[in-house]
Amino acid sequence: MNNATQHTVDIPKFLQNYKKVSTSGVSSNQDDTTAVGTEPATREPSNSHYTLAEMLKSPDASSPWDGNYVAKKYRIIIRDVIEELPELMKKGESCPDDLTLVDHICINRESYRAHIKDIPNSSNTENLTTYRSKFISLVKSILERDDNTSVKGENTRVELTHFYLKVEERKVAFDDLWHHPLLMSHTERYYFPFDATMTLDTKKSGVWRDKYPGSESIDLEEKIKESKYDTDFKPCYENYQDNALGVLDYSRDISVHVKKKSGSVCTSH
């Protein structure tokens, strides 16, 4: 066919990276799905993950705060980091001072689950810092992007301030930070007074209560009056200890009281 026109087909760039598939032995009218490839096709790596640094610069970086609470996806990320960092800390409390954790945390774009990867080893004993201080820097880079977090450079969020203090306390097990109220959901917050009391009673056989009488004095009744819900909370107040134990007991009882129907009496403590 001397006059036959030769046709060429432009192969899309995204297909040019695939290895050729042999069609030998396959008739021209055979369905393509029956063709057997002699070499496996290679695909481009999935784009389902990115680093935390990339995420914080992307449109996915919504406000880290949902009202007065940490937004869900950031709670997930911080808790995952808390779960993984202790494994690194077992190798040593110190890490390179120039380490930027946001560059070594891999985030799933859909679930926001986080994974730490490719942390470099310290090549020398100079210019070192602790993983705890790096973790604080990490949390600040996530949660203090919001202008509402600070006033004149000072953090105004009580739970966040307390969280930083607990991170710095070496006697506080790092993985215990997972349970800090800052990272709790609304449901976890509601059940915390119940769960905490039951857990301590089970593990400490009630002896833990003896440690609280000497704790910092807290005028619980005055604190209730400061609340805009004092008219609802006041009826449930009855001679609680003015210390951390009284706050825990009152929090448990008021949760039950609020959940009950109107007119119900408070539970005893």
Side-chain angles (χ1 to χ4, degrees):
M1 299 178 61
N2 295 332
N3 296 327
T5 303
Q6 293 184 346
H7 296 281
T8 59
V9 178
D10 291 328
I11 301 176
K13 289 184 177 181
F14 75 92
L15 288 177
Q16 293 176 8
N17 293 327
Y18 283 74
K19 293 185 178 181
K20 294 181 179 179
V21 178
S22 171
T23 56
S24 59
V26 180
S27 62
S28 59
N29 63 349
Q30 189 174 8
D31 191 310
D32 289 342
T33 58
T34 62
V36 178
T38 57
E39 295 180 16
T42 59
R43 297 182 181 275
E44 292 296 314
S46 170
N47 198 30
S48 61
H49 293 74
Y50 48 8
T51 67
L52 179 57
E54 292 170 334
M55 174 192 165
L56 294 177
K57 295 177 182 178
S58 75
D60 294 336
S62 55
S63 172
W65 298 96
D66 181 7
N68 291 323
Y69 306 103
V70 178
K72 181 179 179 180
K73 63 184 175 185
Y74 296 110
R75 285 192 280 108
I76 292 173
I77 292 171
I78 294 172
R79 276 182 159 178
D80 280 351
V81 173
I82 289 173
E83 286 185 346
E84 293 202 5
L85 263 186
E87 287 300 315
L88 293 172
M89 295 167 72
K90 286 179 181 178
K91 302 175 183 178
E93 287 284 331
S94 300
C95 61
D97 186 53
D98 59 355
L99 173 66
T100 308
L101 278 178
V102 290
D103 294 323
H104 296 276
I105 296 176
C106 186
I107 306 294
N108 183 295
R109 289 177 182 268
E110 294 185 1
S111 66
Y112 295 106
R113 298 306 302 266
H115 174 65
I116 302 175
K117 57 183 297 184
D118 303 328
I119 295 292
N121 293 323
S122 301
S123 57
N124 55 58
T125 57
E126 298 180 0
N127 299 321
L128 296 179
T129 188
T130 65
Y131 278 110
R132 286 178 181 260
S133 64
K134 285 298 180 182
F135 177 71
I136 290 177
S137 297
L138 171 71
V139 174
K140 286 183 176 181
S141 69
I142 297 174
L143 300 184
E144 296 194 18
R145 294 179 294 111
D146 192 325
D147 291 337
N148 294 327
T149 306
S150 60
V151 177
K152 295 182 180 180
E154 295 183 5
N155 173 40
T156 58
R157 297 185 183 272
V158 176
E159 286 186 351
L160 183 57
T161 299
H162 186 265
F163 183 75
Y164 289 150
L165 290 174
K166 291 304 173 183
V167 174
E168 292 174 341
E169 285 189 29
R170 299 289 291 272
K171 65 180 181 180
V172 175
F174 192 84
D175 50 3
D176 281 348
L177 295 169
W178 195 95
H179 302 283
H180 193 280
L182 178 74
L183 305 177
M184 288 184 179
S185 66
H186 295 297
T187 301
E188 288 173 315
R189 285 173 178 272
Y190 177 81
Y191 284 106
F192 174 74
F194 306 99
D195 292 340
T197 302
M198 291 176 61
T199 300
L200 289 170
D201 281 341
T202 300
K203 293 184 176 181
K204 304 294 183 179
S205 302
V207 179
W208 62 276
R209 287 179 171 271
D210 298 333
K211 297 182 179 180
Y212 283 91
S215 64
E216 179 183 355
S217 178
I218 302 172
D219 193 333
L220 185 55
E221 190 168 11
E222 284 300 316
K223 290 294 183 183
I224 295 172
K225 291 179 181 178
E226 294 174 7
S227 171
K228 62 181 179 180
Y229 303 108
D230 64 313
T231 54
D232 297 311
F233 292 169
K234 179 66 176 177
C236 196
Y237 179 82
E238 50 177 43
N239 300 321
Y240 288 87
Q241 296 183 47
D242 287 328
N243 53 32
L245 179 59
V247 172
L248 179 61
D249 285 337
Y250 178 76
S251 299
R252 177 197 62 202
D253 293 349
I254 196 63
S255 297
V256 174
H257 175 66
V258 170
K259 190 174 182 180
K260 285 186 174 182
K261 294 181 180 180
S262 177
S264 298
V265 296
C266 303
T267 60
S268 59
H269 59 89

